[in-house]
Amino acid sequence: MAGRPEASSIQDAARGLQSSPDFLRQLAGYGLTTIEVHYFLPDHPRLLQLFAFQQYDVAPRFPVLRDFLEFWGREIEGPLHSVRIAHNHLIGPQEWRAVDGIISIH
């Protein structure tokens, strides 16, 4: 995505700043994504299995998730049934509020 640093530049910056790579991803626009993958078992095609995990990704394009699903289709025998996504930007404007007034404590 234009204007966003690549993962390698994020890791390079993390080494120089002593900051967590996950924190730098959040500053670059990544948010925490929870993914539920429902798939059929290869040996028992009537059974539905759930695989859930979390990763940092960029909404609404989800390039990391798309790469994972391409890998799944290429390497995993269990055919996909459905994928559910929940995404939250952990750092964003909704966390900043202007304080109006001064409170004095005696």
Side-chain angles (χ1 to χ4, degrees):
M1 183 170 267
R4 300 208 179 188
E6 295 296 322
S8 61
S9 65
I10 291 171
Q11 291 171 353
D12 292 341
R15 285 187 209 99
L17 297 174
Q18 300 300 317
S19 295
S20 164
D22 291 337
F23 177 68
L24 293 173
R25 280 190 198 99
Q26 292 174 36
L27 291 176
Y30 285 71
L32 188 62
T33 305
T34 303
I35 299 138
E36 290 182 356
V37 178
H38 295 92
Y39 64 97
F40 294 103
L41 293 175
D43 296 338
H44 304 282
R46 291 183 178 212
L47 292 179
L48 195 58
Q49 185 70 29
L50 169 68
F51 175 63
F53 62 102
Q54 290 183 320
Q55 65 187 15
Y56 288 100
D57 209 345
V58 181
R61 303 181 95 197
F62 298 106
V64 178
L65 175 60
R66 288 179 186 270
D67 290 344
F68 173 76
L69 293 177
E70 287 174 11
F71 168 80
W72 184 290
R74 194 176 56 247
E75 302 291 333
I76 308 295
E77 292 183 22
L80 292 175
H81 174 270
S82 60
V83 177
R84 288 181 13 155
I85 302 167
H87 181 81
N88 186 24
H89 286 284
L90 299 176
I91 296 177
Q94 72 273 13
E95 295 181 21
W96 297 95
R97 292 184 293 233
V99 176
D100 188 19
I102 298 174
I103 300 172
S104 298
I105 300 175
H106 297 284

